[in-house]
Amino acid sequence: MLALITGITGQDGSYLTELLLEKGYEVHGIVRRSSTLERSRLNQFYGDTGVYEKRLFLHYADLSDTTTIRRITNKVQPAEFYHLAGQSHVGLSFEIPESTCDLTAMGSLRIMEILRDLPNPPRFLHASSREIFGTPGISPQDELTPINPNSPYGCAKAFATQMTKIYREAHGLFFCNAICYNHESPRRGENFVTRKVTLAAARIKLGLQEFVSLGDLDSARDWGYAKDYVQAMWLMLQQESPDDYVIATGESRTIRDLLDIAFSHVGLNWQDHVKIDPRFKRPADAHELLGAPGKAVKQLGWKRSVTFEELIHLMVDQDLKSVSRP
């Protein structure tokens, strides 16, 4: 089986790559060319002569580079296409709305057009987001919850999500949306609040910093483990028919909960080390988002492997190791 992944160097892309390689896939990834070759999430593969350039291949392209993506896709002829790439930071999307919409919305549409033209279009998964629901009046949210985004990122994802559904219904393509709620891991970027907190707990414990600045501590999210979520993505493309699924834990936790679990794990009181900074409060923020994963559990046989507490402990422990390493 042959798969092509956009966003392969990201958190989800690296875990998906591991999963597919374990299942015997040949994996191709699209990466942006930059002045640095640092792709730490894939480091474990570069030195493996039995994998890199044997079963794992990287190709250079940008989501705005339609010609190159078409050339790569025509050459690879994947059976499965996982579209994970895009500007994925909600808060940052208010600062760069144009590029967010170009990459996340139009970039997705360009890929769909390329796939539609292939003689044998691959099964396609679009990594959607709970941000498409904005500030919902229904809790928990499921696949039938009205789409009503309240951020440029959410709006771009809503467009790509709707287009995925349109291509599935209008052209008979095996196109799916994985409507993912927040999913974290030790590979999460440091500009996301979960990793910001776990890294701060580790650094403060080791005496490398004293405070961490945050925004709204009462904001609540449905946080899961990224490794579990890519398993759901794979399962979606193994079904007899394409569909959309909410991938979530069904459990909502606040940033205060996150702080308490992370700091208590290293024997600290978070209230001694947190400063509130209005700059980190978003112009429009959904206070509580909670997903209903019942459809994925029933139809895909999917379930999460760790609790929220276990996930945060895992992240803190890894940050302690990485920070203390010379």
Side-chain angles (χ1 to χ4, degrees), residues 30 37 66 73 102 120 138 155 163-164 167 170 178 189 197 249 253 260 280 286 307 309 319:
I30 294 177
L37 294 178
T66 308
T73 306
D102 182 60
N120 297 299
I138 302 170
C155 188
M163 291 303 296
T164 298
Y167 272 62
V197 166
T249 70
R253 305 298 286 266
D260 186 55
F280 294 113
T307 65
E309 288 81 0
D319 281 331

Side-chain angles (χ1 to χ4, degrees), residues 211-272:
F211 297 100
V212 59
S213 297
L214 299 169
D216 185 2
L217 303 188
D218 293 318
S219 183
R221 293 291 184 267
D222 184 327
W223 278 300
Y225 185 22
K227 197 169 184 178
D228 293 339
Y229 284 43
V230 301
Q231 173 76 17
M233 295 177 188
W234 177 78
L235 286 170
M236 289 172 60
L237 295 194
Q238 312 314 308
Q239 305 304 302
E240 291 186 4
S241 57
D243 208 342
D244 301 335
Y245 297 86
V246 165
I247 310 301
T249 70
E251 176 184 315
S252 183
R253 305 298 286 266
T254 66
I255 294 177
R256 292 180 190 274
D257 295 331
L258 167 63
L259 287 164
D260 186 55
I261 294 167
F263 277 77
S264 63
H265 188 55
V266 292
L268 297 174
N269 183 349
W270 67 264
Q271 293 175 323
D272 297 331

